[in-house]
Amino acid sequence: MVDTDALPNQHDRIETLTLTEAQGTNEGLHTNRRERSRDNLVEWTPRLRSAWDAAIARSESIIERHSLPVQLRADQRHLFLAEHSESLQKTSLDSTWQRFIQLAIITADRQVALGVTDAMMKVYDKSVPRVKPSGST
């Protein structure tokens, strides 16, 4: 089943579309909230930093592939670009998001139909669990 509480809402997706390279600081990711919410600074985690770096690398590759000039100001360099090199539009993200959710639901339904349990799926999990040393909190 899809954990809908973990999914970004409509406003989060709009905030994602408007991210620029200027919002990545040494301390973390500065978010510009909507709907009278306060902006905040999301501290870097290895996972967030990796996603940020991957998004920048992808944007740079799209710009290079189209032989476009690079914006000098970081606040004008959108993090998410469409393949045609323009900033990604909300409708494009919404379409992609809908396909992603449909695929997740279909995958979850297939697992249920086949009787696949979380315990069964862990057989394929080859990651090394990370644990705290004994005696630490």
Side-chain angles (χ1 to χ4, degrees):
M1 191 58 82
V2 177
D3 179 8
T4 54
D5 291 336
L7 300 176
N9 64 35
Q10 181 100 358
H11 299 297
D12 292 337
R13 291 195 302 266
I14 292 170
E15 291 163 8
T16 300
L17 289 175
T18 60
L19 281 174
T20 65
E21 287 185 32
Q23 290 171 260
T25 67
N26 289 335
E27 295 83 27
L29 179 58
H30 182 93
T31 62
N32 298 109
R33 305 298 304 211
R34 305 291 189 275
E35 304 276 322
R36 292 185 224 113
S37 297
R38 289 179 60 187
D39 290 359
N40 58 35
L41 181 71
V42 181
E43 294 178 347
W44 292 120
T45 63
R47 184 175 176 199
L48 179 59
R49 188 58 179 188
S50 177
W52 179 262
D53 292 343
I56 289 176
R58 185 174 186 286
S59 294
E60 289 173 348
S61 73
I62 290 171
I63 290 168
E64 185 176 316
R65 186 171 44 247
H66 291 281
S67 302
L68 298 171
V70 176
Q71 295 288 334
L72 293 178
R73 293 179 37 188
D75 65 339
Q76 294 179 344
R77 292 192 300 265
H78 286 275
L79 195 62
F80 296 103
L81 301 178
E83 282 299 321
H84 55 71
S85 75
E86 297 293 324
S87 61
L88 192 61
Q89 299 299 306
K90 183 184 175 304
T91 54
S92 300
L93 182 61
D94 286 346
S95 296
T96 302
W97 187 252
Q98 288 171 359
R99 286 192 304 273
F100 169 75
I101 294 301
Q102 289 169 350
L103 180 61
I105 291 169
I106 290 168
T107 301
D109 287 346
R110 281 186 187 151
Q111 287 180 340
V112 170
L114 296 173
V116 177
T117 65
D118 287 339
M120 295 167 123
M121 292 306 292
K122 287 183 181 173
V123 170
Y124 301 104
D125 182 6
K126 302 299 181 196
S127 64
V128 177
R130 196 170 219 161
V131 297
K132 297 213 180 274
S134 58
S136 66
T137 54

